[in-house]
Amino acid sequence: METEGQAAGRTRRRNRDAAPKLLRAPDYRQLRHPFPAQTMFSEDEVAAIHDTALRVLEELGMRVLLPEARALYASAGARIEEDMVFIGRDIVSAALASAPKSWRLRAPSALRDQDYAQGSMIFMAGVGCPNVNDRERGRRPGSIADFVETVKLCQHYDVIHMLGPMTEPQDVPVHLRHYATIRAQLEHSDKPLFLFSRGPGQVEQGFGLIRAALGLSDDEFTRDVWVSTVINTNSPRLLDNPMAKGLIDFARAGQMCIVTPFCLAGAMAPITPSGALALQHAEALAGIALTQIARAGAPVSYGGFSSNVYMKSGAPAYGTPEHIKMQIGGGQLARHIGLPWRTASGAASNAPDMQAALETTMGLWGASLAHGTLIVHTAGWLEGGLTFGYEKFINDIESLQMFAELCTRPSGTAAEIGFDAIAEVPPGGHFFQTGHTMERYQTAFYAPVVADLNNFGTWSEAGAKTADMRATDVWKAVLRDFRPPEGAAERVERILPLIEAGTAAGGAPAMD
Amino acid sequence: METEGQAAGRTRRRNRDAAPKLLRAPDYRQLRHPFPAQTMFSEDEVAAIHDTALRVLEELGMRVLLPEARALYASAGARIEEDMVFIGRDIVSAALASAPKSWRLRAPSALRDQDYAQGSMIFMAGVGCPNVNDRERGRRPGSIADFVETVKLCQHYDVIHMLGPMTEPQDVPVHLRHYATIRAQLEHSDKPLFLFSRGPGQVEQGFGLIRAALGLSDDEFTRDVWVSTVINTNSPRLLDNPMAKGLIDFARAGQMCIVTPFCLAGAMAPITPSGALALQHAEALAGIALTQIARAGAPVSYGGFSSNVYMKSGAPAYGTPEHIKMQIGGGQLARHIGLPWRTASGAASNAPDMQAALETTMGLWGASLAHGTLIVHTAGWLEGGLTFGYEKFINDIESLQMFAELCTRPSGTAAEIGFDAIAEVPPGGHFFQTGHTMERYQTAFYAPVVADLNNFGTWSEAGAKTADMRATDVWKAVLRDFRPPEGAAERVERILPLIEAGTAAGGAPAMD
């Protein structure tokens, strides 16, 4: 008799000299959620949260700083009092009627296109991080060199489906930063593009670069979705200038706004999950309405990033039970209004440790059971988004790839079950040499990126490297061997003269 | 405009001087799965796997070493050829008809009783580990002192629902080890008890100690389930002497056998998930049948611990996509035969790092979506069960408690949503001081055990302790402040003379 632990040790020893070549090449490029969407609130409660959000917009209103946006709301019938906008439920209904339910998110390479729709599972790396951190170079403010590296890391792994602003290239002046980030994305990647809404100059120039790189006419550009932006409201109930302008400009150009209130329950939002979701919902509906007023039929994603704070310090928490409850409730609200939607995982941990892995993995499961169309911050986020961690990124890729594997169901045919293989092996024997095994072993199982499955002795002899230490080797190898995708050199070639001319002309300022 | 990361930083600063007292006292003692059971195979495929298992038992048979067990199988109509037992499907059907569908798992304290039934979610710590490891004392063979510490750690956290053999007290001679482990469980805990099936002497003496400690007559003992054992088959298709004897003796005494084939796909089982599950199912059914032949109506849990090996080395892997697929498929098989069942999470990692957290968390979600009644190895398992890690245990407790929190649904009543609170806070303001927040903040959110939610600066100044380092402080404090539960002293007092007499009489040998 032996325990499970001892039996595991026995198995390890059995085959330790065999090192077969594995030939698996899974396709993680387009995924759909492996499990059905779950619920956290009753249908009545969802309706009550939705109705509360409508009351918030009608009775309490949103503060909208941009006069152009207030004028658009007014044109649709909203009541305006100074910078407050009171949005009737008829305006919201009209917006939800005209907003498309799904669209094709185009990429420089068609192989990277995504169906932006309920049921799709699209992963974005951790984004919005002012700092980066790795074990070799330490924690530092993000630079354009770091931004380029993060684009390369995201490009390398198919399970990252969209680019984003992984880190902020703080060594590039703000009025030129959109040139640098669009260039880096086009030069090193062929995945769907991201552009910050930092005012009309940067947005229009960014669109121009993309049209030029991809050889699109204005019509071709506007007809499809080639670039996305995230619109964060300043919760509670405040829409600032660049965000409002971004909603208008992206909508008019037919490009995707991802409207994402950032509602931390107990801080910028009510302390209850249902209350934080009501505020999130109100603010998201206000943003969605503005896009549809600007251009009916513009692609706009519902979004939410509601989590809670730790009440002892006011610090945001991620991957918590409350976060998961609000993810799943957010999914119910998205389905209630029939739009695809964005959610996020995340991590508050300051280091790439067990806390970080736990937070991000819990958030990933919550986001999937919530059927987030787009799941942001899935790889590399640390410190609640203040740092993009390279070692964390690599370990999160493991998590995402494992999750992606769940999208493929195993087969239960007679041949797969393999009665004959069971018959072939005597009691107490092993299956290593059966035909059933030999036919399948090269492709049977997921092969890890960074997990070390050696036994303790072998692992110790090899330096007892923990997951973060091993991840350093992995990202360095990815960057060292990186090759830009096909067509990238040509695409970037087309925009270099535009960037040069734009730079000479002073770039474009960020909007206050 | 600010990114989500920057907004998170702003929130942190807002309230950093406030350190309110939190009063939350959640009850994690009895849990039910928060999400519905999921599927990985079609109903037809489940039926095919079940049918293949019946064919395995009928046509290929099990090697059963114990003559008493073979005689019992024969008495039910099985065909015997030397030590091979061929079990017809009528025998299996009769066993499934007589096996109870649920029972009360009794504990020394009734507050710790569990409903062992489909839908319940019962967590057991990592068990069966020959070694233990912590940051202060290093990796070492388990001793009785370590066993006692692990019992105390399991007792301290309500989210651990059952005791098990966390580590092997290798400094206690095998013929006396059952005395030491039963004593430690009774002396430091009031949770459901575990006893290894190491032959009839140890089992009968173990039962005697429990009867004496709890003041139960033979009838009272046999009428309820007071102690459990795990029966591992030696896959493929081999049932050894102590395991077979345990099935018989526990069944006759009305105590719970958890029949758990350990089927590593590609090693001791077919390489496919459906094939490994077919073998698991066959072996589990053989064990279940033996309990019902020994005593119809005996409580017996279906079980499975099927995962895969890493084909490059033959090493077992846990928390992998294949593991999760087999967990969920195992749950379908358990529902197919209508029995409560045991599954497991686990970790192959050699250190308490991101890999370890990822593996165990993935396995935990898989086990819950599989609706495992009992989920084993949920806290502390490292090295595929060769080591019980104290720091890993503490971090896994975080994971389990977060999961337990998901069992409570948030409310969506008008009072909870809090329209008035939203009305009270101006655009861009915060909710820290609203009445809605003040009424709830002390109990609103899960309070972490080991997660550090301080910002990077504060965390760095405090020594930049990673999750494993912080966990050392936590387990040391738990052990330092440990108080045995009410009644434990009296219970253990009753068995000390029996242990003394038993020891003097030579204990009981383990069965070969």
Side-chain angles (χ1 to χ4, degrees):
Chain A
M1 198 214 86
E2 61 189 356
T3 67
E4 288 156 18
Q6 288 163 341
R10 175 166 60 92
T11 313
R12 268 194 174 120
R13 287 189 299 276
R14 259 187 195 163
N15 199 32
R16 67 179 166 192
D17 297 327
K21 194 170 174 198
L22 304 185
L23 298 174
R24 206 149 175 279
D27 185 351
Y28 300 142
R29 287 176 299 186
Q30 280 86 20
L31 302 175
R32 293 185 62 79
H33 286 287
F35 301 106
Q38 299 301 318
T39 62
M40 202 45 78
F41 294 98
S42 70
E43 284 302 311
D44 286 352
E45 289 173 324
V46 170
I49 294 169
H50 178 74
D51 189 67
T52 303
L54 296 180
R55 280 188 65 202
V56 167
L57 294 177
E58 280 178 330
E59 300 175 28
L60 307 179
M62 287 282 291
R63 187 168 174 225
V64 177
L65 302 186
L66 187 75
E68 179 187 0
R70 292 199 297 270
L72 280 169
Y73 280 119
S75 74
R79 179 165 58 90
I80 313 291
E81 286 180 15
E82 300 186 350
D83 58 6
M84 291 301 295
V85 178
F86 300 84
I87 304 165
R89 59 185 67 205
D90 52 326
I91 301 173
V92 173
S93 294
L96 294 178
S98 70
K101 305 300 173 249
S102 69
W103 50 90
R104 191 94 181 139
L105 181 61
R106 303 296 304 269
S109 160
L111 296 170
R112 304 292 191 181
D113 284 358
Q114 298 291 327
D115 270 327
Y116 203 93
Q118 285 270 359
S120 291
M121 181 167 78
I122 301 171
F123 294 136
M124 188 186 280
V127 296
C129 306
N131 306 296
V132 297
N133 197 352
D134 66 66
R135 286 182 60 258
E136 300 241 320
R137 296 167 294 187
R139 186 178 189 267
R140 57 198 186 272
S143 69
I144 187 64
D146 298 317
F147 185 89
V148 166
E149 287 187 351
T150 61
V151 169
K152 289 177 176 175
L153 291 174
C154 288
Q155 174 65 18
H156 179 76
Y157 292 104
D158 286 348
V159 80
I160 299 293
H161 300 113
M162 272 178 83
L163 300 175
M166 280 70 74
T167 187
E168 197 55 37
Q170 298 183 54
D171 54 344
V172 178
V174 173
H175 68 284
L176 304 176
R177 214 173 272 176
H178 56 302
Y179 297 150
T181 56
I182 289 286
R183 176 186 169 160
Q185 294 178 74
L186 288 165
E187 191 165 357
H188 306 292
S189 179
D190 58 2
K191 297 188 181 181
L193 301 162
F194 182 91
L195 178 63
F196 262 130
S197 295
R198 287 198 170 125
Q202 295 207 358
V203 167
E204 188 39 56
Q205 291 183 1
F207 289 169
L209 294 179
I210 294 166
R211 280 191 297 261
L214 305 183
L216 300 170
S217 69
D218 283 11
D219 264 9
E220 287 168 334
F221 180 72
T222 308
R223 214 161 40 221
D224 266 326
V225 181
W226 298 97
V227 62
S228 308
T229 198
V230 166
I231 301 293
N232 290 132
T233 48
N234 287 5
S235 305
R237 295 191 290 123
L238 175 60
L239 185 61
D240 71 18
N241 284 321
M243 295 286 96
K245 188 64 181 156
L247 285 166
I248 297 167
D249 291 347
F250 271 72
R252 285 185 173 152
Q255 305 307 304
M256 176 164 77
C257 287
I258 304 164
V259 186
T260 311
F262 182 44
C263 290
L264 285 172
M268 301 99 121
I271 194 165
T272 55
S274 54
L277 286 174
L279 183 63
Q280 165 191 306
H281 199 58
E283 296 178 2
L285 290 174
I288 290 166
L290 183 56
T291 65
Q292 299 306 305
I293 298 166
R295 183 182 174 217
V300 60
S301 175
Y302 182 77
F305 192 24
S306 294
S307 190
N308 64 300
V309 295
Y310 182 45
M311 291 310 292
K312 280 200 176 175
S313 65
Y318 302 98
T320 60
E322 294 78 19
H323 183 192
I324 294 172
K325 291 175 186 182
M326 289 187 270
Q327 287 175 315
I328 293 175
Q332 292 185 268
L333 289 166
R335 293 195 296 283
H336 189 74
I337 62 172
L339 291 189
W341 82 295
R342 162 231 142 103
T343 181
S345 58
S349 181
N350 291 297
D353 61 2
M354 285 187 282
Q355 178 185 339
L358 172 59
E359 289 171 328
T360 301
T361 309
M362 291 296 272
L364 176 62
W365 277 94
S368 179
L369 295 183
H371 268 213
T373 307
L374 169 62
I375 308 175
V376 179
H377 305 321
T378 56
W381 234 49
L382 284 173
E383 303 173 32
L386 294 179
T387 284
F388 182 96
Y390 284 46
E391 285 81 17
K392 172 95 180 346
F393 176 87
I394 297 296
N395 278 276
D396 288 341
I397 289 290
E398 192 91 277
S399 177
L400 294 175
Q401 293 194 163
M402 285 164 59
F403 214 88
E405 291 282 333
L406 297 179
C407 300
T408 308
R409 299 265 161 145
S411 161
T413 62
E416 279 292 290
I417 298 174
F419 177 83
D420 293 345
I422 298 175
E424 197 178 325
V425 176
H430 64 75
F431 288 75
F432 289 124
Q433 311 299 337
T434 66
H436 190 256
T437 299
M438 295 306 285
E439 285 160 22
R440 291 170 174 83
Y441 78 93
Q442 288 181 312
T443 56
F445 303 133
Y446 171 69
V449 170
V450 65
D452 186 325
L453 299 173
N454 287 301
N455 68 25
F456 187 82
T458 307
W459 173 80
S460 299
E461 284 158 27
K465 286 186 174 182
T466 51
D468 57 325
M469 296 163 75
R470 295 192 304 270
T472 306
D473 299 337
V474 176
W475 68 254
K476 285 176 70 179
V478 169
L479 293 180
R480 186 190 62 223
D481 301 336
F482 186 80
R483 295 277 174 284
E486 205 178 327
E490 294 74 11
R491 288 190 286 269
V492 85
E493 195 65 37
R494 293 185 201 113
I495 65 168
L496 291 180
L498 297 176
I499 291 178
E500 199 177 332
T503 303
M511 192 179 202
D512 283 332
Chain B
M1 196 215 85
E2 60 187 355
T3 66
E4 288 156 19
Q6 287 162 341
R10 175 167 60 91
T11 313
R12 270 195 173 118
R13 286 189 300 276
R14 260 186 195 165
N15 198 32
R16 68 178 163 192
D17 296 328
K21 193 169 176 200
L22 305 184
L23 297 175
R24 205 149 176 278
D27 186 350
Y28 300 142
R29 288 176 297 184
Q30 279 87 18
L31 302 175
R32 293 185 62 79
H33 285 288
F35 302 107
Q38 299 300 318
T39 62
M40 203 43 78
F41 295 97
S42 70
E43 284 302 312
D44 285 352
E45 288 173 324
V46 170
I49 294 169
H50 179 74
D51 189 67
T52 303
L54 296 179
R55 280 188 64 203
V56 167
L57 293 178
E58 280 178 329
E59 301 175 27
L60 307 179
M62 288 283 290
R63 188 169 173 224
V64 177
L65 302 187
L66 188 74
E68 180 187 358
R70 293 199 298 270
L72 280 168
Y73 281 119
S75 75
R79 178 166 59 89
I80 314 291
E81 289 180 15
E82 298 185 352
D83 58 6
M84 292 301 295
V85 177
F86 300 86
I87 304 165
R89 59 185 67 206
D90 52 327
I91 299 174
V92 173
S93 295
L96 294 178
S98 70
K101 304 303 174 245
S102 69
W103 50 90
R104 191 93 180 142
L105 181 60
R106 303 297 303 271
S109 160
L111 297 170
R112 304 292 190 180
D113 284 358
Q114 299 291 326
D115 270 327
Y116 203 93
Q118 285 270 358
S120 291
M121 181 166 77
I122 302 170
F123 294 136
M124 188 187 281
V127 296
C129 305
N131 305 295
V132 298
N133 197 352
D134 66 67
R135 286 182 59 260
E136 301 240 319
R137 296 167 294 186
R139 185 178 188 268
R140 57 199 186 272
S143 69
I144 187 65
D146 299 317
F147 185 89
V148 166
E149 287 187 351
T150 61
V151 168
K152 289 178 176 175
L153 291 172
C154 289
Q155 174 65 17
H156 179 77
Y157 292 103
D158 286 348
V159 79
I160 299 292
H161 300 112
M162 270 177 83
L163 300 175
M166 281 69 76
T167 188
E168 197 55 37
Q170 298 183 53
D171 54 345
V172 178
V174 173
H175 68 285
L176 304 177
R177 214 172 271 174
H178 57 302
Y179 297 149
T181 56
I182 289 286
R183 175 186 170 160
Q185 294 178 73
L186 288 166
E187 190 164 359
H188 306 292
S189 178
D190 59 2
K191 297 187 181 181
L193 301 161
F194 182 90
L195 178 63
F196 262 130
S197 295
R198 288 198 169 126
Q202 295 206 358
V203 167
E204 186 41 54
Q205 291 183 1
F207 290 169
L209 293 178
I210 294 166
R211 281 191 295 262
L214 306 183
L216 301 169
S217 68
D218 284 11
D219 265 9
E220 286 166 334
F221 180 71
T222 307
R223 213 160 42 220
D224 266 326
V225 181
W226 299 97
V227 62
S228 307
T229 198
V230 168
I231 301 293
N232 291 133
T233 48
N234 287 6
S235 305
R237 296 192 289 124
L238 174 61
L239 184 60
D240 71 18
N241 284 321
M243 296 285 97
K245 188 62 181 156
L247 286 166
I248 296 167
D249 291 347
F250 272 72
R252 287 189 172 149
Q255 305 307 305
M256 176 164 77
C257 287
I258 304 164
V259 186
T260 310
F262 182 46
C263 289
L264 285 171
M268 298 98 121
I271 195 166
T272 55
S274 53
L277 286 174
L279 183 62
Q280 165 191 304
H281 198 58
E283 296 179 2
L285 290 174
I288 290 166
L290 183 55
T291 65
Q292 299 305 305
I293 297 166
R295 183 183 174 214
V300 59
S301 175
Y302 182 77
F305 191 24
S306 294
S307 189
N308 64 301
V309 294
Y310 183 45
M311 290 310 291
K312 280 200 177 174
S313 65
Y318 302 98
T320 61
E322 293 78 19
H323 183 191
I324 294 171
K325 291 174 187 185
M326 288 187 270
Q327 287 175 316
I328 293 175
Q332 293 185 266
L333 290 166
R335 293 195 296 283
H336 189 74
I337 61 172
L339 290 189
W341 80 295
R342 162 232 143 105
T343 181
S345 58
S349 182
N350 291 297
D353 60 3
M354 286 188 283
Q355 178 184 338
L358 173 58
E359 290 171 327
T360 301
T361 309
M362 292 296 272
L364 176 63
W365 277 93
S368 179
L369 295 183
H371 268 213
T373 307
L374 169 63
I375 308 176
V376 180
H377 305 322
T378 56
W381 234 49
L382 284 174
E383 303 174 31
L386 294 180
T387 284
F388 182 97
Y390 284 46
E391 285 80 16
K392 172 91 180 349
F393 176 88
I394 296 297
N395 278 276
D396 288 341
I397 289 290
E398 192 91 278
S399 177
L400 294 176
Q401 292 194 165
M402 286 165 60
F403 214 89
E405 290 282 334
L406 297 178
C407 300
T408 308
R409 299 266 161 147
S411 161
T413 62
E416 279 292 290
I417 298 174
F419 177 84
D420 293 344
I422 299 175
E424 195 178 327
V425 176
H430 65 75
F431 288 75
F432 289 124
Q433 311 299 337
T434 65
H436 190 256
T437 299
M438 296 305 286
E439 284 160 22
R440 290 170 174 83
Y441 78 92
Q442 289 181 311
T443 55
F445 304 133
Y446 172 69
V449 170
V450 64
D452 186 325
L453 299 172
N454 287 301
N455 67 24
F456 187 82
T458 307
W459 173 78
S460 299
E461 285 158 27
K465 285 186 173 180
T466 50
D468 57 325
M469 296 162 74
R470 296 192 303 271
T472 307
D473 299 337
V474 176
W475 67 254
K476 284 175 70 180
V478 169
L479 292 181
R480 188 190 59 224
D481 301 337
F482 186 80
R483 294 276 174 281
E486 205 178 326
E490 293 75 11
R491 287 190 285 270
V492 85
E493 195 66 36
R494 291 185 203 115
I495 65 168
L496 291 181
L498 297 177
I499 291 178
E500 199 177 331
T503 303
M511 193 178 200
D512 283 331

